[in-house]
Amino acid sequence: MSSDAHSLRTILKQTKSAYAVAFACVVAFMGIGLVDPILPAIASKLNATPSQVSLLFTSYMLMTGITMLVTGWLSSRIGPKRTMLFGLLAIIIFAFLGGMASSVNGIVWFRAGWGFGNAFFISTALAVIVSVATGGTASAIVLYEAAIGLGMSVGPLLGGLLGGISWRGPFFGVSVLMAIAFLAVYVLLKDVPKPAKRTSLLDPFRALRYPGLFTMAVTALLYNFGFFTLLAYSPFVLHMDEHSLGLVFFFWGVLLAVTSVIIAPKLQDRFGSVPTLFAMLLLLAIDLAYMGFGVTSQTGLVVAIILAGGILGIINTILTASVMDVAPVERAVASSAYSFVRFVGGAIAPWLAGKLSEVYAPSIPFYAGAIAVLISMLALFIGRRFLREIK
């Protein structure tokens, strides 16, 4: 059986519990790109600068990263299912409140609350999918990445459609969809056993003492700087309406989904995870540098953004799979430690990109993102000897 057919079979033949969690993952990751097409509209309607509006990403990521430190602690006490439901409920509430806000500062704070709920959900979702999906860890990761890719692609498209009506539309849309996801998880997901050992609040910090996990976390931190520079800043230089921005990032997300599920496993099998990561990070740095060089070309930017989706899909899948194997700790602990570093460290990128464009020139944020990705390659190179167990 070909790897393409195996990936498709993996997605199509799963348990109801796995599908319920995967659907919730789709909606959760829709929330990341859903606000992308409405960033310029929010800036215009609420008289805000790009750096102020980009705080919607910064507050979301910062709170997500910090909260990751306590998600394992809570999950080991009340169980994964209740932890996920708590996170989904928080997203429902804060997404709705974001749609009701009347100032940029209000939206920024409610997006932080959204990130708080998102942390409890996504930190638990991967471990739950691994435990309830058929076909082992590899199949579970394919399903998880497929859900992420679908969410990342549909999110901007839906954001553009709802944002064309009102910038508040995407916030209310997420609230409704998350309510559906909450019911799906509540009804279809059977109780997942609590971990045999309760997690300490210090466990994620202890996990970072393993050089392999620390290497992957730092690499992801710097990579995320480039990722969120592209995602949060590029809508401001494209000069498009909500519908057009939604379409651009829809195709970006489609390519991300295809490469994460189909292309990434092939490249891993043929070249190995670390060499593939080096190659993809270099391509991403070149792509970002090109966007800086051609920042005045709308067509060039659109092509570069869509192509970046394909590169990002491969990197995301390999990073996720590698973190699950690189440290001799429970998956939930490894995920919390890794996510804390990459989200908190990468949170500055959206705000800094907007600020750099205001102080210097529209091209500078893309150059800064390219430099950060090149430094991530250096971090990966320095720690490569600790990654020998990764295929």
Side-chain angles (χ1 to χ4, degrees), residues 333-381:
V333 174
S335 177
S336 294
Y338 165 78
S339 297
F340 164 70
V341 174
R342 72 183 179 116
F343 277 116
V344 171
I348 192 176
W351 173 82
L352 184 60
K355 187 59 69 175
L356 287 173
S357 70
E358 293 163 17
V359 176
Y360 298 104
S363 60
I364 299 300
F366 294 117
Y367 293 137
I371 291 171
V373 174
L374 289 175
I375 298 173
S376 77
M377 295 177 63
L378 178 61
L380 187 63
F381 179 79

Side-chain angles (χ1 to χ4, degrees), residues 51-66:
S51 60
Q52 288 176 316
V53 175
S54 294
L55 286 173
L56 269 70
F57 280 97
T58 294
S59 64
Y60 174 88
M61 291 175 62
L62 184 62
M63 183 57 75
T64 296
I66 293 173

